[in-house]
Amino acid sequence: MKLYAVTAVVDSAMATLRSTKNVRKVTKTALMPALAVTSPPRDPGMAVGLAGSWAGDVALLGDSDRAFRTGLFSFLVAHLGYTAALARRSRPGTRKAVLPIVAASAAGAAVFARAAGPMGRPVGLYALTLGTMVAAASTVRGPGARRVFGGAALFAVSDALLGASRFVLAGRAARVASAGVMPTYAAAQWLIHTGFAREGDPA
């Protein structure tokens, strides 16, 4: 816990400062490996999610559109892995929230796709994939279920902040939104992985 928490706090702080790219090549690259040490993935889907997230973190250290597309694809793969793992924890009668979540995700995807211009299609597809992961998290029951769903929802918040800062907002508002990306992202990953790994606790 301490290793991941320290790495997350330092990287989140560095993300708000200018001229820290070289430092973040260390801190951001180390974030998912630190989580793997804190909460080793025991499910193949969770391992894919962790690996895809690491690849996305590294790609998004770049500022180009190509780097953004690579990061988008990497996180799309990550969410497919998470979705597969979470679906295996799904229980009958837990799918009441799926349709509202998917509908909200589709609406959000349409908004960000329009704002993203030339990158609209990949952004829209990614948003739908993320929404599917959140919907899958809502069907999980058992130990750590609330933590998993909270993490999935927080992941959506983090990505909404990222999309808003990149495609919708400008100036100070964009910087404020951007500052919230890494803290919410780091917390989301921790909640998903530790929640999924919990045993013996009440749901």
Side-chain angles (χ1 to χ4, degrees):
M1 168 65 180
K2 288 183 179 179
L3 175 63
Y4 181 70
V6 170
T7 306
V9 168
V10 172
D11 186 67
S12 296
M14 292 299 101
T16 65
L17 303 174
R18 297 179 181 179
S19 303
T20 59
K21 183 172 289 188
N22 288 335
V23 176
R24 295 201 71 215
K25 286 180 181 179
V26 176
T27 58
K28 194 175 184 184
T29 301
L31 193 59
M32 290 302 102
L35 181 56
V37 172
T38 299
S39 182
R42 299 175 183 175
D43 182 280
M46 298 301 284
V48 169
L50 196 67
S53 297
W54 177 82
D57 286 345
V58 173
L60 292 177
L61 285 167
D63 297 322
S64 67
D65 285 348
R66 181 177 181 181
F68 186 79
R69 289 191 186 93
T70 301
L72 205 67
F73 176 77
S74 298
F75 277 111
L76 187 150
V77 171
H79 290 314
L80 291 175
Y82 286 150
T83 299
L86 297 173
R88 285 191 282 273
R89 293 276 183 92
S90 177
R91 295 291 183 271
T94 62
R95 297 182 173 85
K96 293 180 180 179
V98 168
L99 286 180
I101 292 173
V102 172
S105 300
V111 171
F112 279 111
R114 179 174 296 182
M119 283 193 284
R121 288 186 179 180
V123 166
L125 177 61
Y126 173 79
L128 287 174
T129 305
L130 171 61
T132 301
M133 188 274 286
V134 177
S138 75
T139 70
V140 172
R141 292 295 181 270
R146 291 192 183 95
R147 185 176 291 193
V148 168
F149 180 66
L154 202 55
F155 213 129
V157 171
S158 178
D159 280 346
L161 290 171
L162 176 61
S165 66
R166 186 177 181 97
F167 300 119
V168 180
L169 305 174
R172 180 181 177 84
R175 291 192 295 272
V176 170
S178 181
V181 171
M182 288 309 300
T184 50
Y185 168 72
Q189 292 279 21
W190 182 78
L191 287 169
I192 290 170
H193 281 270
T194 60
F196 192 87
R198 289 181 72 177
E199 296 179 0
D201 294 334

